[in-house]
Amino acid sequence: MTVVFAALEAALEEKRLLVEDALRRLAPRGGGEGVPAAVEHTLFAPAKRLRPVLALLVAEVMRADSRPIVPASCAVELVHTASLILDDLPSMDDARQRRGRPACHLVFGEATATLTAFALINRAYEVLAEDEGLAADTRARLARELSRAVGLEGMIAGQAADLAFTERAMDFRTLEFIHSRKTGALFTCCAALGAEAAGAAPGEREALVAYAKNLGLAFQIVDDLIDVTGRAAEAGKDVRQDAKKTTFVSFAGVEGARQIAQELVATSVEALAPFGPRAEPLRELARYVVARRR
């Protein structure tokens, strides 16, 4: 995969380092033990930063300067990291490893882990409010977009349904509902962020959000495949963790899940047709996501 996607991986790494540097400046402040140490442990574990990188890519494909939205894209990453901490708690998925490190609650305790997640979410909205590189009305729209991605239209709805259906059968529509919100919501939020930065027309924004929605679902299916077929050392997190849940793999089998992921990527790529050749980096990203091993 490295040879096939060498140019893309170099571009993704350049943007990842940009995001990483900004996160160092924007992360919740404070020293010592407890929550500040837990932020350091979790936020700065090795990560792809795919969601903020997607926002930057979208802006560039739309021929806009992506630098002004780096802080806003970092706000999304802060929320994403918070969601991972909460997802790993014993009351949720009871995971033991995340991003190649012990889960936050195992190192710092459940109470501190929960407070750390809230600190990250709080800081995300503070970053948006303080971002003088964006107009006030733009910041307001981005804050609303992020709130929807987190709330009862987004990740919370998906996680609640996921918990409700643990050890219960579900149909494909419910499975898609769960993961279009648990995973897809922040992908679509980032696409909307990039579109907003570029001043995209409503039809362009709609196409980019459709691309991101299908990309997020494909990403989740690959996660399900990694859970079944991967190794924890390679994945950087627990595997065989979803045995009691209906996943795309338990629903359709390994080969069936791979086929669904490929179909979603094809649909994702089709959404980019209005943009012609300039959207090739996003097309390649979709192909890269479905080929990943961690």
Side-chain angles (χ1 to χ4, degrees):
M1 188 168 99
T2 301
V3 175
V4 174
F5 294 104
L8 176 66
E9 288 182 330
L12 295 179
E13 179 63 7
E14 180 183 354
K15 288 176 173 55
R16 187 194 70 80
L17 291 173
L18 186 67
V19 169
E20 205 75 33
D21 182 61
L23 280 170
R24 284 286 175 187
R25 299 193 309 271
L26 297 170
R29 297 173 182 86
E33 300 301 316
V35 171
V39 167
E40 178 71 24
H41 173 87
T42 310
L43 183 60
F44 296 108
K48 297 179 286 294
R49 311 300 189 195
L50 187 58
R51 289 154 186 82
V53 166
L54 172 61
L56 304 185
L57 269 179
V58 166
E60 291 176 5
V61 163
M62 294 298 295
R63 300 181 177 135
D65 184 0
S66 63
R67 287 173 295 179
I69 63 163
V70 170
S73 72
C74 287
V76 178
E77 183 65 18
L78 293 171
V79 168
H80 173 55
T81 303
S83 76
L84 299 182
I85 294 172
L86 295 174
D87 202 40
D88 290 343
L89 289 173
S91 58
M92 301 285 187
D93 285 355
D94 196 17
R96 306 194 65 77
Q97 187 180 19
R98 176 67 71 174
R99 290 175 167 173
R101 295 181 179 179
C104 185
H105 67 274
L106 292 179
V107 179
F108 299 95
E110 291 179 48
T112 297
T114 302
L115 290 173
T116 301
F118 280 108
L120 289 167
I121 293 170
N122 182 71
R123 180 58 183 155
Y125 287 102
E126 191 176 28
V127 166
L128 286 176
E130 293 175 347
D131 186 4
E132 295 182 356
L134 297 173
D137 60 339
T138 299
R139 298 200 303 270
R141 286 194 296 272
L142 295 179
R144 184 166 56 247
E145 194 79 40
L146 186 55
S147 294
R148 287 173 177 164
V150 173
L152 291 178
E153 298 178 25
M155 290 190 296
I156 290 173
Q159 180 70 358
D162 194 21
L163 292 170
F165 278 91
T166 299
E167 298 189 73
R168 289 174 54 196
M170 71 176 78
D171 58 20
F172 187 81
R173 186 173 180 178
T174 303
L175 185 61
E176 185 179 15
F177 172 91
I178 289 170
H179 292 300
S180 66
R181 286 154 179 81
K182 275 191 68 173
T183 305
L186 286 185
F187 276 86
T188 57
C189 180
C190 286
L193 167 57
E196 178 75 32
E204 292 174 324
R205 184 185 188 282
E206 185 178 339
L208 290 164
V209 167
Y211 160 82
K213 178 183 177 182
N214 287 288
L215 179 68
L217 278 172
F219 185 93
Q220 179 60 49
I221 293 173
V222 174
D223 257 11
D224 289 351
L225 286 163
I226 290 170
D227 185 74
V228 171
T229 65
R231 294 179 296 119
E234 185 179 20
K237 60 181 182 179
D238 296 340
V239 295
R240 320 294 186 268
Q241 187 74 5
D242 294 332
K244 295 181 180 180
K245 295 183 178 181
T246 300
T247 67
F248 286 98
V249 176
S250 66
F251 190 91
V254 170
E255 291 308 315
R258 286 196 178 115
Q259 181 62 34
I260 294 170
Q262 292 289 353
E263 290 171 0
L264 284 166
V265 164
T267 303
S268 182
V269 167
E270 285 172 12
L272 299 172
F275 305 106
R278 65 184 162 119
E280 190 56 32
L282 294 177
R283 295 185 184 96
E284 194 172 8
L285 177 64
R287 300 182 191 108
Y288 178 81
V289 161
V290 83
R292 71 191 176 92
R293 294 292 178 267
R294 59 167 297 159

